[in-house]
Amino acid sequence: MNTERDSETTFEEDSQPNDEVVPYSDDETEDELEDQEPAVEPEQNRVNREAEENREPFRKDCTWQVKANDRNFHEQPQFMNTKFLCIKESKYANNAIKTYKYNALTFLPMNLFEQFKRAANFYFLVLLILQAIPQITTLAWYTTLVPLLVVLGITAIKDLVDDVARHKMDNEINNRTCEVIKDGRFKIAKWKEVQVGDVIRLKKNDFIPADILLLSSSEPNSLCYVETAELDGETNLKFKMALEATHQYLQNENSLATFDGFIECEEPNNRLDKFTGTLFWRKTSFPLDADKILLRGCVIRNTDFCHGLVIFAGADTKIMKNSGKTRFKRTKIDYLMNYMVYTIFVVLILLSAGLAIGHAYWEAQVGNFSWYLYDGEDATPSYRGFLNFWGYIIVLNTLVPISLYVSVEVIRLGQSYFINWDLQMYYPEKDTPAKARTTTLNEQLGQIHYVFSDKTGTLTQNIMTFKKCCINGQIYGDHRDASQHNHSKIEQVDFSWNMYADGKLAFYDHYLIEQIQSGKEPEVRQFFFLLAVCHTVMVDRLDSQLNYQAASPDEGALVNAARNFGFAFLARTQNTITISELGTERTYNVLAILDFNSDRKRMSIIVRTPEGNIKLYCKGADTVIYERLHRMNPTKQETQDALDIFASETLRTLCLCYKEIEEKEFEEWNKKFMAASIASSNRDEALDKVYEEIEKDLILLGATAIEDKLQDGVPETISKLAKADIKIWVLTGDKKETAENIGFACELLTEDTTICYGEDINALLHTRMENQRNRGGVYAKFVPQVHEPFFPSGGNRALIITGSWLNEILLEKKTKKSNILKLKFPRTEEERRMRTQSKRRLEAKKEQQQQNFVDLACECSAVICCRVTPKQKAMVVDLVKRYKKAITLAIGDGANDVNMIKTAHIGVGISGQEGMQAVMSSDYSFAQFRYLQRLLLVHGRWSYIRMCKFLRYFFYKNFAFTLVHFWYSFFNGYSAQTAYEDWFITLYNVLYSSLPVLLMGLLDQDVSDKLSLRFPGLYVVGQRDLLFNYRRFFVSLLHGILTSMILFFIPFGAYLQTVGQDGEAPSDYQSFAVTIASALIITVNFQIGLDTSYWTFVNAFSIFGSIALYFGIMFDFHSAGIHVLFPSAFQFTGTASNALRQPYIWLTIILTVAVCLLPVVAIRFLSMTIWPSESDKIQKHRKRLKAEEQWKRRQVFRRGVSTRRSAYAFSHQRGYADLISSGRSIRKKRSPLDAVIADGTAEYRRTVES
């Protein structure tokens, strides 16, 4: 068995998951990772492989072909796909974005088609057709047509408004402009007119309209800086660089217009970090990778202009491919409501069939022998019963409430506006209100079990701030004056003495400034000098203003801190760096930059001072720095203690150190360094080994502490949501250390938390799978499945897992297949059977492993997934949806969160940031994470309670109204005669009982918003579906049935033997109908008064106004004047005035209403007294609670007491060291373009700016 299992799939050897890397890209297939041995290697693959030795082999043919400046090329027959019948279109998408559903021609037919896909609407359409058949109609056609038109009209208007908004948004994007080469010149063109193969020019701060190949730019070596906030929420700049050939030859308009390059590359996909292709130009092939591609949605920064060739446009761009499949989201209540409507359909058919059988029996026993009932038709009793079946379908049609769906839509629309208008969710700094971008999911906000959150830009501001430091064993950064005395309140340090200070650093330790200026401790000045010199930041000086561009916000924060404390980084060349040291400019020769990577966790720089001394300056994570310190470091323990303090405050720490190097020692080392730099294979490993030789015996200077600023209120929000039994999972692409650090900062993790990592749970899951396999066998299906917890009860556990471990555990990892599985077509029946069985076993194993992982993760109080791809984020959300059947919410701010946002039941986008891609795909948006608690605990809970109350009442009032016909049938020979006037039936749901229930669905609240936030435990009723379920539904039905019995039988009994004041019996059919209708209207409107928790003038007015409206309309419809005008439509002439002048009738109505309502009052009183809910208890004491001092979280927020080391403050990738040391980033003055020689080779005078 084991041998067979091993033959199914074998994981790649030596493939222990790497916590530091993002796993394979989303679109990679197993074919790309198999060990294939093709007979002839494609030429394209060979070129790419030889050009870039570090690239993964490109296994598939490049089928996407782009010809520069040639639109006709892409219209050739081989690029055309059949769209419909003989209609063909190019496989190359145009650049227009389309998110709308309708246009002027398709709106009416498509919208009606979509509306009639709803079972209730289609049912009423069929009913309308039945009412047009004279033999079976029992009600006038208008009783169905009027409500149906109202429902269709309101829904159509709402859909039209939504689609017009989508049209406007699409037009705004599609009509943006850029410059495109047409007829040999750059001309202004709209984005929607851009096509694949066009050469475009973009300027500083322009959005990139499509995925383009960078050809040249205004920067040295055609560098181009881009901001990717739209993609990943990060505001630190990334750089792209053009090919040397295109940089050299494609600088002016003429050369760009004649550019005829040909590109073969991969098909459009969603891999943001990868691109593989080749440019063929001038009889030479040039390999292309992601560093040369500018993606749609990014913004050009710090680059005056750049030129590019469009490769992917519109729907083919990577940002659109990453948006995931748009899912039509419906709430849990929607599904439940539909099932209940189907249940009512069944009840309706059963009732109609039973009454039709009763009519057939009555006709056979009574009707055929009563000469006065003869209607001139000699139909058989069974045929009459058949006609009466359809007659009762029409009479009892109001069991299925036609206005239910439109009422639900109106309530949801109103609740959406309340979210939009909530000033407590408005963010004034960015002028950003909360926005409900969909109106169909509000009540689902009150049922959330799991929240999946991005980190960067969602929990954090992505702003790094220098907070504290430790120099020579002394901690700086507390509130102190220049005399080293602590103060609780002290003014910020004034940096006006420093001409380079940017004025943005808030620092309160005046003693540190005193130490810097006095120079008593040289280590203090050396500390900040190290920060100013040891980095890969690049500087741009405009109007004497310094503008730093860093590979990570951490490094930018440190260089800015040094600048504010008097050590300003001013300029750099290929091998020099200039620093202003307390106003004195000094230039140092840079001998080597030892760059950061995720294994080294440190960077160093070797410089020669103006005095000729050689020094190495190093900064890095304490774990690697302490291993390389000289054993004689007097401040080692003090710095260690300071690091523990910084870690307890969840600040990001770095250790700083230095050493002096002898000339001879450096020369020997430099030879090894130069040799490693030009190594043809394993260059990175060779360099790391050489770096190790020089980075030893270091002298410790101190440590820095940077705050990765959380958004305001994040810990408080997470704490509140946890009390509401909502679990928070963080899904991020950041490093494990960074994610763990943020977990402590926002109190997801505490010192008491036991953290499990990927390797830990992999072992647990492996053991569980073995146990399950051992328990399996012949009798496995007869043994009941028992849920065994993974961890012992008690204790607080959290799971931190990386994307690589996630793939390993969930069996999503790319695998090599055995020879059997490599066969494209099984050769024998036995092979086919073995292959099928292998696939089934693999699928079963994978499903069981995923189920086990979800069970394990859900036992943890917090889960943090780091280094995950956008697809993995969506996969984690989908696993919880699938295996826990829980309601999920995803919140993020970048394009890498879009897939997750669309997968979750509710998607929330953080707006007001630079990136708006997540907002465009979200259901709700606001500017700060802290508003999530109000969205869920207030608006979500209220919406859920209101919708549940509305639905319970709606079903009740319709059953109470309709089933009176059922009881009446026993006394009219089951003849399908109605118990009410036709116009009353028409207007009952439209006018007489609609407004109070709508207002309850819009305005009702059990407790105030402040109490909802104060007592998050109130939220659990929605998670447990306590207020609306099948039990509640059948209770409402039973309540409606009993009410209908009382409404019919009390007036029926009162009318049996009655004489009025005038001596006449008022027991005619029309008076009876008026009595029942009047009692019904008063009962259902008073009943909603009993259901209302929050009384306003509007509620009271609607209840009594509805009753008054009923009587006013009834008297009008029963008047002689309207009967004269429409004699066939209004036949109850004078009934109301004759019947309602009898006191006996009024007493009957009062008795009927009392018998209906008094038991309800008694039951409510007993339940609130004996079995009060949490909400009832709070309502009872709300005055006392309101009088108490408002509950607040403690003002001084201590960020936890963790002794864990916080994350090292570097970027996720290498810095700009290669650029700096090669000189490619240094700006040079370019010669005029007319100096370009005839053969097209551009030569530049290379004069370095002083």
Side-chain angles (χ1 to χ4, degrees):
M1 183 71 182
N2 289 337
T3 307
E4 184 179 1
R5 186 163 57 247
D6 291 340
S7 70
E8 291 166 10
T9 178
T10 316
F11 288 120
E12 298 178 26
E13 291 85 0
D14 302 324
S15 58
Q16 182 78 354
N18 186 349
D19 287 342
E20 299 296 342
V21 300
V22 177
Y24 60 84
S25 297
D26 297 348
D27 278 354
E28 282 180 344
T29 63
E30 295 185 348
D31 293 336
E32 292 179 69
L33 294 140
E34 288 179 16
D35 282 340
Q36 299 177 354
E37 297 179 4
V40 180
E41 184 182 25
E43 176 65 18
Q44 179 63 51
N45 294 0
R46 188 184 64 77
V47 172
N48 287 352
R49 182 168 50 76
E50 291 177 356
E52 293 191 6
E53 60 192 12
N54 292 327
R55 182 200 299 284
E56 290 183 40
F58 190 50
R59 303 288 185 188
K60 294 188 176 180
D61 291 336
C62 293
T63 57
W64 192 263
Q65 299 179 338
V66 178
K67 184 73 179 293
N69 290 315
D70 188 355
R71 290 189 173 186
N72 294 329
F73 174 82
H74 305 104
E75 299 295 330
Q76 294 181 75
Q78 65 265 33
F79 301 132
M80 305 300 284
N81 294 328
T82 302
K83 183 180 180 183
F84 178 73
L85 296 177
C86 59
I87 301 174
K88 293 189 175 183
E89 66 176 5
S90 174
K91 77 170 187 177
Y92 298 92
N94 61 39
N95 206 39
I97 297 298
K98 175 189 171 185
T99 61
Y100 59 84
K101 292 167 62 178
Y102 313 110
N103 58 38
L105 294 176
T106 62
F107 173 72
L108 200 59
M110 283 185 65
N111 189 262
L112 287 175
F113 175 74
E114 286 181 359
Q115 291 204 58
F116 282 122
K117 283 199 294 188
R118 278 184 170 172
N121 288 348
F122 184 72
Y123 163 73
F124 280 100
L125 180 65
V126 173
L127 201 66
L128 190 61
I129 296 169
L130 290 176
Q131 284 181 291
I133 303 173
Q135 287 82 359
I136 61 174
T137 185
T138 52
L139 282 174
W141 54 269
Y142 51 78
T143 58
T144 300
L145 181 64
V146 172
L148 183 62
L149 287 178
V150 171
V151 169
L152 296 177
I154 291 176
T155 307
I157 291 170
K158 173 184 166 294
D159 290 344
L160 181 63
V161 170
D162 288 347
D163 210 55
V164 167
R166 284 190 285 266
H167 269 279
K168 288 181 179 177
M169 193 171 295
D170 288 347
N171 288 335
E172 181 183 341
I173 293 172
N174 291 332
N175 289 323
R176 289 176 179 173
T177 59
C178 63
E179 293 182 78
V180 179
I181 284 191
K182 291 182 180 178
D183 303 324
R185 306 285 296 175
F186 276 114
K187 297 180 180 178
I188 299 294
K190 295 178 179 178
W191 276 21
K192 63 184 179 183
E193 297 168 354
V194 172
Q195 294 185 20
V196 172
D198 285 352
V199 174
I200 64 175
R201 175 192 286 163
L202 299 172
K203 296 180 180 176
K204 189 174 181 178
N205 299 327
D206 281 353
F207 277 93
I208 300 170
D211 291 353
I212 65 175
L213 168 66
L214 178 63
L215 298 176
S216 61
S217 80
S218 57
E219 297 301 294
N221 287 280
S222 287
L223 282 173
C224 180
Y225 298 97
V226 293
E227 185 180 273
T228 60
E230 192 83 18
L231 295 178
D232 53 22
E234 294 186 7
T235 53
N236 52 296
L237 302 188
K238 280 82 172 176
F239 69 88
K240 306 287 183 177
M241 188 165 62
L243 289 166
E244 181 67 26
T246 59
H247 158 69
Q248 191 174 6
Y249 295 112
L250 299 178
Q251 289 293 343
N252 61 17
E253 190 175 63
N254 291 335
S255 60
L256 287 163
T258 57
F259 175 56
D260 60 351
F262 180 75
I263 292 175
E264 285 186 349
C265 64
E266 61 190 18
E267 289 284 322
N269 57 66
N270 66 354
R271 292 177 285 191
L272 293 172
D273 59 335
K274 288 192 177 182
F275 178 83
T276 306
T278 305
L279 168 65
F280 297 95
W281 185 47
R282 295 191 167 194
K283 300 180 180 180
T284 309
S285 60
F286 304 93
L288 304 177
D289 59 19
D291 289 336
K292 299 170 180 62
I293 303 297
L294 307 182
L295 300 182
R296 180 182 175 124
C298 297
V299 183
I300 304 294
R301 299 290 192 206
N302 295 3
T303 306
D304 292 336
F305 63 84
C306 67
H307 304 114
L309 171 66
V310 177
I311 296 178
F312 302 131
D316 291 334
T317 57
K318 291 183 181 287
I319 192 172
M320 297 303 294
K321 288 286 184 183
N322 253 301
S323 61
K325 184 180 178 182
T326 301
R327 294 169 173 85
F328 177 64
K329 296 182 179 181
R330 298 176 67 186
T331 66
K332 198 173 183 180
I333 283 183
D334 259 337
Y335 289 109
L336 195 57
M337 189 167 66
N338 281 342
Y339 284 124
M340 290 172 179
V341 169
Y342 298 146
T343 303
I344 294 173
F345 274 139
V346 174
V347 171
L348 172 64
I349 291 170
L350 292 176
L351 284 177
S352 300
L355 293 172
I357 292 169
H359 181 69
Y361 177 80
W362 184 87
E363 278 288 335
Q365 298 295 321
V366 180
N368 283 349
F369 305 104
S370 303
W371 59 268
Y372 54 87
L373 294 177
Y374 182 66
D375 58 0
E377 295 184 11
D378 297 321
T380 62
S382 58
Y383 179 69
R384 288 180 181 272
F386 171 74
L387 293 180
N388 252 37
F389 170 77
W390 298 106
Y392 271 113
I393 290 286
I394 294 171
V395 169
L396 301 177
N397 77 80
T398 47
L399 279 179
V400 183
I402 186 171
S403 57
L404 172 65
Y405 289 102
V406 73
S407 301
V408 165
E409 293 298 327
V410 170
I411 289 171
R412 286 172 172 167
L413 185 64
Q415 290 167 347
S416 299
Y417 277 111
F418 291 152
I419 292 172
N420 297 348
W421 294 337
D422 191 343
L423 289 177
Q424 294 188 53
M425 294 171 69
Y426 170 72
Y427 190 54
E429 290 184 26
K430 294 281 183 74
D431 188 27
T432 307
K435 175 72 174 173
R437 299 176 59 82
T438 182
T439 59
T440 57
L441 302 172
N442 295 324
E443 67 272 10
Q444 191 118 302
L445 291 169
Q447 298 180 282
I448 302 297
H449 292 87
Y450 292 88
V451 170
F452 299 90
S453 175
D454 179 40
K455 182 192 79 71
T456 306
T458 303
L459 296 177
T460 67
Q461 301 179 34
N462 201 30
I463 297 173
M464 306 300 169
T465 307
F466 183 87
K467 297 295 286 186
K468 293 184 178 182
C469 60
C470 173
I471 307 173
N472 206 23
Q474 170 76 43
I475 294 178
Y476 299 93
D478 296 324
H479 289 59
R480 292 190 296 186
D481 60 21
S483 303
Q484 209 174 349
H485 295 112
N486 289 333
H487 293 276
S488 58
K489 292 184 179 180
I490 195 169
E491 293 181 359
Q492 286 187 22
V493 169
D494 182 10
F495 290 107
S496 59
W497 55 272
N498 179 5
M499 62 181 291
Y500 291 110
D502 61 2
K504 297 177 183 177
L505 179 63
F507 200 75
Y508 296 90
D509 194 341
H510 294 255
Y511 182 61
L512 179 58
I513 304 299
E514 172 67 23
Q515 290 287 79
I516 292 172
Q517 292 178 336
S518 67
K520 293 177 182 177
E521 289 194 33
E523 290 85 1
V524 175
R525 290 188 176 182
Q526 193 160 11
F527 180 92
F528 286 103
F529 172 77
L530 190 154
L531 294 181
V533 76
C534 183
H535 56 78
T536 58
V537 173
M538 288 186 278
V539 64
D540 191 13
R541 296 187 72 169
L542 292 173
D543 302 327
S544 73
Q545 293 294 321
L546 298 176
N547 185 20
Y548 294 146
Q549 300 302 332
S552 74
D554 308 65
E555 196 161 57
L558 292 174
V559 177
N560 265 311
R563 165 189 180 175
N564 281 286
F565 286 109
F567 292 80
F569 162 52
L570 299 181
R572 77 182 333 142
T573 66
Q574 183 175 349
N575 40 35
T576 66
I577 185 168
T578 303
I579 309 292
S580 169
E581 302 174 25
L582 298 176
T584 304
E585 288 191 18
R586 286 166 62 89
T587 299
Y588 297 80
N589 290 326
V590 178
L591 304 179
I593 297 178
L594 287 55
D595 202 7
F596 161 84
N597 66 35
S598 56
D599 294 323
R600 284 169 41 75
K601 299 184 180 179
R602 64 191 182 279
M603 77 154 292
S604 302
I605 187 171
I606 302 175
V607 298
R608 189 188 299 274
T609 66
E611 294 77 21
N613 300 323
I614 300 175
K615 288 188 177 183
L616 177 144
Y617 294 98
C618 179
K619 65 182 181 184
D622 58 305
T623 51
V624 295
I625 294 295
Y626 267 58
E627 295 171 357
R628 291 160 177 79
L629 292 179
H630 193 280
R631 63 179 180 274
M632 298 299 292
N633 263 289
T635 62
K636 188 174 180 180
Q637 186 57 48
E638 290 88 341
T639 306
Q640 179 72 48
D641 295 339
L643 287 167
D644 291 338
I645 293 172
F646 297 156
S648 70
E649 299 171 0
T650 65
L651 300 174
R652 295 155 71 99
T653 57
L654 278 179
C655 286
L656 309 186
C657 52
Y658 73 99
K659 69 178 286 189
E660 294 189 2
I661 304 174
E662 297 292 334
E663 187 76 38
K664 184 178 179 181
E665 179 188 359
F666 174 74
E667 287 178 1
E668 292 177 359
W669 177 86
N670 195 42
K671 291 176 183 176
K672 298 178 184 177
F673 173 64
M674 296 306 294
S677 299
I678 59 175
S680 58
S681 61
N682 300 323
R683 177 173 172 267
D684 289 343
E685 290 80 356
L687 282 172
D688 287 348
K689 188 176 179 180
V690 173
Y691 293 166
E692 287 283 351
E693 294 181 14
I694 198 75
E695 292 174 326
K696 61 184 179 181
D697 296 330
L698 304 174
I699 299 170
L700 185 64
L701 269 176
T704 61
I706 288 179
E707 181 185 26
D708 185 0
K709 293 193 72 172
L710 290 174
Q711 291 187 10
D712 294 339
V714 167
E716 292 87 343
T717 300
I718 289 175
S719 175
K720 286 271 182 70
L721 296 180
K723 290 176 182 175
D725 200 24
I726 298 173
K727 292 183 172 63
I728 311 284
W729 291 25
V730 177
L731 312 178
T732 177
D734 271 350
K735 303 187 302 293
K736 183 169 71 174
E737 292 86 347
T738 309
E740 185 175 333
N741 190 33
I742 290 298
F744 280 102
C746 62
E747 289 192 338
L748 267 177
L749 309 176
T750 65
E751 185 61 23
D752 299 328
T753 303
T754 303
I755 298 179
C756 302
Y757 296 99
E759 52 271 28
D760 305 324
I761 67 164
N762 191 40
L764 282 171
L765 291 171
H766 180 74
T767 304
R768 175 62 58 90
M769 284 292 286
E770 288 297 324
N771 292 340
Q772 289 170 339
R773 190 180 296 119
N774 293 336
R775 282 200 300 266
V778 180
Y779 302 104
K781 58 185 177 183
F782 302 109
V783 179
Q785 191 171 1
V786 180
H787 175 69
E788 300 175 18
F790 284 87
F791 303 108
S793 58
N796 185 19
R797 290 177 180 82
L799 169 61
I800 298 180
I801 186 168
T802 60
S804 299
W805 271 111
L806 204 57
N807 285 339
E808 175 87 19
I809 289 167
L810 299 180
L811 306 182
E812 295 283 349
K813 189 178 178 186
K814 299 310 178 185
T815 60
K816 297 177 184 178
K817 297 181 179 180
S818 66
N819 291 331
I820 291 176
L821 295 182
K822 274 189 177 183
L823 294 172
K824 297 299 180 185
F825 301 101
R827 296 176 183 173
T828 66
E829 188 64 33
E830 180 66 17
E831 287 178 355
R832 185 179 291 107
R833 186 181 63 81
M834 288 179 63
R835 186 174 184 178
T836 304
Q837 288 180 353
S838 296
K839 283 186 176 180
R840 286 177 181 170
R841 279 195 294 271
L842 280 173
E843 286 300 318
K845 179 184 176 184
K846 181 175 177 180
E847 187 172 335
Q848 186 62 57
Q849 181 83 334
Q850 291 180 344
Q851 171 81 65
N852 291 342
F853 169 75
V854 172
D855 290 340
L856 184 149
C858 291
E859 287 183 26
C860 299
S861 58
V863 177
I864 299 176
C865 301
C866 41
R867 306 303 273 161
V868 288
T869 64
K871 186 178 181 181
Q872 284 180 308
K873 290 184 179 184
M875 180 184 69
V876 170
V877 175
D878 187 60
L879 286 176
V880 174
K881 282 174 64 178
R882 194 188 323 157
Y883 293 115
K884 300 308 274 187
K885 307 298 181 189
I887 305 300
T888 58
L889 179 147
I891 179 169
D893 72 319
N896 56 350
D897 303 314
V898 167
N899 215 341
M900 169 178 78
I901 284 171
K902 288 186 173 182
T903 302
H905 293 99
I906 304 280
V908 178
I910 299 292
S911 60
Q913 309 296 326
E914 294 296 330
M916 294 294 288
Q917 191 69 21
V919 172
M920 301 280 283
S921 304
S922 67
D923 305 305
Y924 299 88
S925 64
F926 42 70
Q928 295 280 290
F929 181 84
R930 68 176 183 270
Y931 298 147
L932 184 63
Q933 61 175 315
R934 186 166 179 86
L935 182 72
L936 300 185
L937 303 184
V938 177
H939 291 287
R941 201 180 70 84
W942 279 353
S943 295
Y944 173 74
I945 291 172
R946 290 164 179 169
M947 187 59 70
C948 292
K949 277 189 174 184
F950 166 82
L951 291 172
R952 295 201 309 262
Y953 175 79
F954 209 95
F955 288 127
Y956 153 75
K957 78 180 181 72
N958 273 61
F959 265 73
F961 162 63
T962 306
L963 289 181
V964 169
H965 298 302
F966 176 76
W967 307 118
Y968 184 47
S969 298
F970 293 99
F971 302 95
N972 64 16
Y974 311 97
S975 61
Q977 183 183 5
T978 59
Y980 308 111
E981 179 195 7
D982 286 356
W983 280 106
F984 177 79
I985 294 172
T986 304
L987 299 178
Y988 174 74
N989 273 321
V990 177
L991 288 180
Y992 299 152
S993 62
S994 60
L995 189 57
V997 70
L998 277 177
L999 289 173
M1000 182 181 72
L1002 287 169
L1003 303 176
D1004 200 46
Q1005 47 183 269
D1006 55 345
V1007 298
S1008 67
D1009 56 341
K1010 291 184 175 64
L1011 291 175
S1012 295
L1013 292 171
R1014 183 173 174 180
F1015 298 100
L1018 293 171
Y1019 188 82
V1020 297
V1021 294
Q1023 294 172 324
R1024 299 174 185 171
D1025 300 322
L1026 297 180
L1027 300 186
F1028 189 68
N1029 47 45
Y1030 259 102
R1031 178 180 163 276
R1032 291 276 191 165
F1033 171 68
F1034 284 115
V1035 167
S1036 296
L1037 260 55
L1038 180 61
H1039 187 193
I1041 291 168
L1042 293 175
T1043 301
S1044 68
M1045 288 180 67
I1046 295 168
L1047 286 170
F1048 178 79
F1049 284 106
I1050 288 181
F1052 180 76
Y1055 268 72
L1056 273 178
Q1057 295 177 347
T1058 307
V1059 176
Q1061 287 180 325
D1062 54 3
E1064 296 180 2
S1067 53
D1068 61 285
Y1069 158 70
Q1070 293 187 344
S1071 298
F1072 183 62
V1074 167
T1075 305
I1076 297 175
S1078 301
L1080 171 68
I1081 293 299
I1082 296 171
T1083 299
V1084 296
N1085 279 290
F1086 278 15
Q1087 175 66 47
I1088 203 166
L1090 295 176
D1091 290 343
T1092 300
S1093 302
Y1094 182 69
W1095 278 91
T1096 64
F1097 168 77
V1098 179
N1099 292 87
F1101 178 80
S1102 68
I1103 290 172
F1104 293 105
S1106 295
I1107 296 172
L1109 185 67
Y1110 158 72
F1111 282 108
I1113 292 176
M1114 182 177 64
F1115 277 105
D1116 283 342
F1117 281 4
H1118 293 189
S1119 65
I1122 201 166
H1123 174 71
V1124 171
L1125 293 174
F1126 308 101
S1128 59
F1130 298 93
Q1131 298 176 351
F1132 275 48
T1133 309
T1135 303
S1137 55
N1138 289 333
L1140 295 179
R1141 68 184 180 183
Q1142 304 281 348
Y1144 186 83
I1145 301 296
W1146 282 107
L1147 287 172
T1148 302
I1149 292 172
I1150 292 169
L1151 176 64
T1152 305
V1153 172
V1155 173
C1156 286
L1157 296 181
L1158 286 177
V1160 177
V1161 174
I1163 292 170
R1164 297 274 172 88
F1165 174 77
L1166 287 174
S1167 66
M1168 290 182 68
T1169 306
I1170 302 172
W1171 308 288
S1173 65
E1174 196 66 30
S1175 174
D1176 293 334
K1177 294 175 186 175
I1178 293 172
Q1179 277 182 304
K1180 185 177 179 181
H1181 301 105
R1182 63 179 179 271
K1183 289 186 179 178
R1184 177 175 61 80
L1185 292 168
K1186 190 175 180 181
E1188 287 178 357
E1189 183 181 358
Q1190 182 63 37
W1191 178 85
K1192 290 182 180 179
R1193 190 180 175 83
R1194 59 188 182 279
Q1195 293 296 318
V1196 180
F1197 171 57
R1198 194 161 59 94
R1199 285 178 162 267
V1201 288
S1202 170
T1203 58
R1204 297 175 179 272
R1205 186 67 55 245
S1206 42
Y1208 46 90
F1210 281 109
S1211 63
H1212 305 163
Q1213 303 167 347
R1214 285 184 178 271
Y1216 296 147
D1218 286 344
L1219 279 177
I1220 295 165
S1221 57
S1222 66
R1224 289 175 294 178
S1225 64
I1226 312 305
R1227 184 179 296 276
K1228 291 120 183 163
K1229 293 179 182 177
R1230 187 175 289 146
S1231 60
L1233 288 176
D1234 56 12
V1236 179
I1237 57 178
D1239 66 353
T1241 304
E1243 294 183 357
Y1244 302 98
R1245 296 194 307 272
R1246 305 186 178 277
T1247 56
V1248 180
E1249 291 182 353
S1250 56

